[in-house]
Amino acid sequence: MNKSESIGKIAAALVKAQGQMTSAIKDAKNPFFKSSYADLNAVREACMPALNANGISVLQPTVVVDGKNYVETVLIHESGEFLSGLTEIKVAKINDPQCEGSGISYARRYSLQSMVCLGAVDD
């Protein structure tokens, strides 16, 4: 994880935000595994209002490190303090735009859930 030199303000804001977050609802269907999961929108709906209300914004750019593709999830506090982490983008087929898009969405979802310690529950 990367972080700003000080994290006191973002840490305090994150504690408050986590107390206000709901769990992500598993309302998307995976027909291959016959299961439900919380998609990226459900994860965002569960955490973004609380994060934003406490002065935290989220960025999720893609970056390349040592030839590998990652989503970098960055939590930025209004004070300028930040926390960030990398999640590798895994794809089933190279040079397939749909697989790449799915890999990015998957990495964004799990990275954001991990950064804010967000669980998911059945609808």
Side-chain angles (χ1 to χ4, degrees):
M1 177 173 7
N2 294 314
K3 60 185 175 71
S4 53
E5 190 171 311
S6 66
I7 61 167
K9 291 176 184 168
I10 193 171
L14 193 52
V15 167
K16 289 179 185 174
Q18 285 178 331
Q20 299 166 356
M21 288 179 200
T22 60
S23 293
I25 303 298
K26 294 181 184 179
D27 58 0
K29 303 293 181 201
N30 182 333
F32 184 74
F33 291 110
K34 296 184 174 107
S35 62
S36 297
Y37 66 97
D39 65 10
L40 178 58
N41 286 332
V43 170
R44 288 178 41 80
E45 287 171 7
C47 69
M48 291 301 293
L51 290 169
N52 294 161
N54 288 282
I56 300 171
S57 64
V58 177
L59 298 176
Q60 291 191 295
T62 58
V63 297
V64 178
V65 178
D66 295 330
K68 292 183 179 181
N69 296 320
Y70 295 87
V71 165
E72 180 179 22
T73 297
V74 186
L75 304 180
I76 304 172
H77 188 254
E78 59 194 14
S79 67
E81 294 178 347
F82 72 91
L83 300 169
S84 74
L86 296 174
T87 300
E88 188 174 356
I89 300 168
K90 300 282 192 170
V91 295
K93 284 194 242 173
I94 305 294
N95 296 322
D96 181 321
Q98 185 158 1
C99 283
E100 184 76 18
S102 294
I104 290 169
S105 292
Y106 191 90
R108 287 183 63 202
R109 176 168 44 112
Y110 280 104
S111 181
L112 182 55
Q113 276 186 276
S114 177
M115 286 290 293
V116 300
C117 196
L118 185 72
V121 294
D122 290 322
D123 189 9

